Amino acid sequence: MVTCRATSAPPYLHSASSHPQTASYLQIALSRARLRPGPGPGPGPLPRTWPRVRRTASASRDDPLARAWRAAPLAMAYLCVLSVTSAMLAVVHRLDQDAYQRLLRSRSTNLAGLRSRPLYVLVASAFWLERGTFPQTAAAVAALLAPLERVAGPRPALGVFASGHVGASLLVAGGLLLGQRAGLVGGHVTDAVDVGASYGLIACAAVLAATARAHRRWPLVGGLLAPLVLAAVHTPDFTAAGHLIAAGIGLACVRYLRLSYPLSGAIPSGPSGPACQPRFTGSG
């Protein structure tokens, strides 16, 4: 036996019971209202942004520029300074070539600069390049100073670079002064333009060559010294002599690095894992 449960109609249907057509319209409207989706439950909690932050951080770790900054901050900062000074020199050269020459001479490690402001020109000359030499210098910094910093650390790499730059500049100036007194060198070298990073970079190259593996060490050292000797023989000027002196200073730094910084093991090359680096074993 089937029983039917009576349901009470809404009050407004009772009031419309006397009008059956109106009641049917109200029932149809109510049924459509029940089927129509209503408003949502309201704003929920804010989405979590930590996974997105972590993905951004991992992407920055994979960025080659970020890896270069972490591996060799000294070399990267030096490249930034060189780019700024080279851009300034390019603008000055376009506007006034005489001002360009005066600017370079005031920062050169020539005899006049070393007599008047020795400390200033020894430091400033490493941060100014002659026009058109920035691409070669930037490539040399990336190929020589950055690997040395990555293996030895910022302070030893800075010590090698500064030793080559300052030591070669002072020894070349001393040789020029003696040559002038002996009448072998003309007076034009007193205020010659002598800026750039070649002395320091050649010292870094000598350290990298002398600390390579045993079967590569002497070929690399010979390959570094041979073109420097040929350049000094073909064009015997103070720049070629300074390059040879800087290479000798770099070779002399190897024993100091070997005793003061016994490097071994590996350092991480990025998020993928460690990579073996050459050890400083010394050249003798």
Side-chain angles (χ1 to χ4, degrees):
M1 180 177 181
V2 180
T3 58
C4 296
R5 180 177 299 177
T7 56
S8 60
Y12 45 80
L13 290 182
H14 289 292
S15 62
S17 59
S18 59
H19 302 279
Q21 188 176 4
T22 305
S24 62
Y25 288 158
L26 288 173
Q27 289 178 354
I28 293 173
L30 286 174
S31 62
R32 289 183 178 179
R34 293 192 189 98
L35 295 176
R36 186 179 303 167
L46 293 176
R48 297 180 62 185
T49 59
W50 174 245
R52 183 177 299 177
V53 172
R54 293 187 64 181
R55 286 195 297 270
T56 305
S58 62
S60 65
R61 287 196 297 268
D62 295 335
D63 186 12
L65 186 59
R67 290 202 305 268
W69 271 104
R70 289 195 305 272
L74 174 66
M76 294 297 293
Y78 186 48
L79 280 177
C80 292
V81 175
L82 288 179
S83 64
V84 172
T85 56
S86 298
M88 292 174 57
L89 278 177
V91 174
V92 173
H93 183 271
R94 181 177 292 273
L95 297 177
D96 190 352
Q97 295 189 7
D98 292 337
Y100 166 81
Q101 292 293 332
R102 290 195 302 269
L103 191 150
L104 286 183
R105 286 196 180 95
S106 64
R107 290 155 176 81
S108 297
T109 53
N110 49 34
L111 295 179
L114 290 174
R115 286 169 181 166
S116 59
R117 298 180 295 175
L119 294 179
Y120 172 77
V121 296
L122 285 173
V123 176
S125 59
F127 295 96
W128 295 86
L129 306 174
E130 292 191 60
R131 180 174 173 268
T133 60
F134 174 75
Q136 306 93 297
T137 305
V141 170
L144 299 174
L145 181 59
L148 181 60
E149 181 184 3
R150 182 180 177 85
V151 176
R155 287 191 298 176
L158 178 60
V160 172
F161 182 87
S163 299
H165 178 74
V166 175
S169 298
L170 292 178
L171 291 176
V172 167
L176 291 177
L177 186 59
L178 293 177
Q180 279 188 346
R181 291 182 178 179
L184 302 176
V185 179
H188 65 281
V189 299
T190 302
D191 57 349
V193 173
D194 187 13
V195 295
S198 59
Y199 293 166
L201 292 175
I202 288 178
C204 294
V207 171
L208 290 175
T211 54
R213 297 183 182 275
H215 64 283
R216 299 178 182 176
R217 186 178 310 157
W218 293 114
L220 289 176
V221 172
L224 173 66
L225 294 179
L228 298 180
V229 173
L230 291 177
V233 172
H234 183 266
T235 308
D237 56 2
F238 67 90
T239 302
H243 290 165
L244 273 175
I245 294 172
I249 292 174
L251 295 176
C253 290
V254 173
R255 185 173 296 275
Y256 167 76
L257 289 172
R258 173 185 166 186
L259 294 176
S260 299
Y261 301 93
L263 303 177
S264 61
I267 58 177
S269 60
S272 59
C276 293
Q277 300 294 331
R279 299 181 180 182
F280 277 81
T281 56
S283 60

